[in-house]
Amino acid sequence: MTGDRVIRFATAAVVCAVAAFAAVVSYSHIYGLGRAHGQDGTAARLLPLSVDGLILAASLVLLHEARNGRDAPRLARFMLWLGIGATVGANIAFGAGYGLLGALISAWPAVAFIGAVEIAMQQVRRACGPRAAISGPAVPAVPAVPAVPAVPGDVEQAVRAAYAASVAAGQPLSQRAMAERFGLSRRRVSQLVVQVTASGNGHLPESEAA
């Protein structure tokens, strides 16, 4: 455990350092590009922050939703890719005057910044995953989850029981969260959710009735 913790801390420190270095270089590229195209003073200084800050903000939103077992908002995903396209494009445009090699070199800081941010987010997701499972009973939507496996050998029955319990608690689990928890495909989980909903309404799907 001590060795793993040291590795995690060292990885986090290196990732943060790389992100900081890449962000500074990317900032100077976008700042220079803005100055060369009519942006002066405050506008030129804030332009790089609006681009790279958007990537960080969208990544944090995706992380928050993933930690709470919810599907990522489409707007957050769209803004993340928009920010990535903007920062890579701006850095390439800055170095384009120096040929292909200049464009590739100028694009590298943006790529490094994006990669470092995503690595950091993945590390946080993995670190928070076990904690969420341990502290889950304190959250209103999760108390019934530890008692879910009423039939230990039947994963699909466990999924039905988990969803039914979450509905009874007033906070239904997302299909993505159940798919990750029980190791089933999203399509199969969706079918099981339909079965539970139909059963709760007093109707059985044709496959169940057969």
Side-chain angles (χ1 to χ4, degrees):
M1 291 299 295
T2 302
D4 291 341
R5 190 169 298 176
V6 170
I7 292 174
R8 287 198 299 270
F9 287 156
T11 301
V14 173
V15 167
C16 290
V18 170
F21 300 153
V24 170
V25 177
S26 178
Y27 179 95
S28 66
H29 287 174
I30 300 176
Y31 174 78
L33 186 66
R35 289 291 302 271
H37 290 79
Q39 303 298 313
D40 293 323
T42 302
R45 287 190 289 270
L46 294 181
L47 179 62
L49 298 179
S50 69
V51 176
D52 292 337
L54 176 63
I55 297 174
L56 183 59
S59 297
L60 289 173
V61 171
L62 296 179
L63 174 62
H64 180 270
E65 296 303 301
R67 286 188 59 190
N68 288 276
R70 294 190 291 264
D71 292 335
R74 292 183 180 179
L75 179 60
R77 287 190 181 277
F78 173 75
M79 297 307 291
L80 174 62
W81 286 108
L82 183 63
I84 290 174
T87 189
V88 172
N91 279 271
I92 290 177
F94 178 84
Y98 301 94
L100 177 60
L101 183 58
L104 293 176
I105 293 175
S106 296
W108 174 249
V111 175
F113 173 75
I114 296 165
V117 169
E118 288 305 311
I119 290 173
M121 293 301 172
Q122 288 181 5
Q123 189 175 28
V124 173
R125 288 190 192 100
R126 292 172 182 171
C128 293
R131 293 182 197 167
I134 294 174
S135 61
V139 181
V142 186
V145 173
V148 163
V151 183
D154 190 344
V155 176
E156 293 187 355
Q157 181 62 27
V159 172
R160 294 190 188 95
Y163 184 71
S166 66
V167 170
Q171 295 184 352
L173 293 171
S174 71
Q175 294 181 15
R176 176 182 177 182
M178 291 188 293
E180 293 177 353
R181 185 187 300 274
F182 295 100
L184 296 177
S185 67
R186 288 279 295 275
R187 180 178 180 182
R188 185 53 184 158
V189 170
S190 178
Q191 293 173 348
L192 296 174
V193 168
V194 171
Q195 293 176 9
V196 173
T197 303
S199 298
N201 293 332
H203 304 285
L204 288 176
E206 294 181 1
S207 59
E208 290 278 317

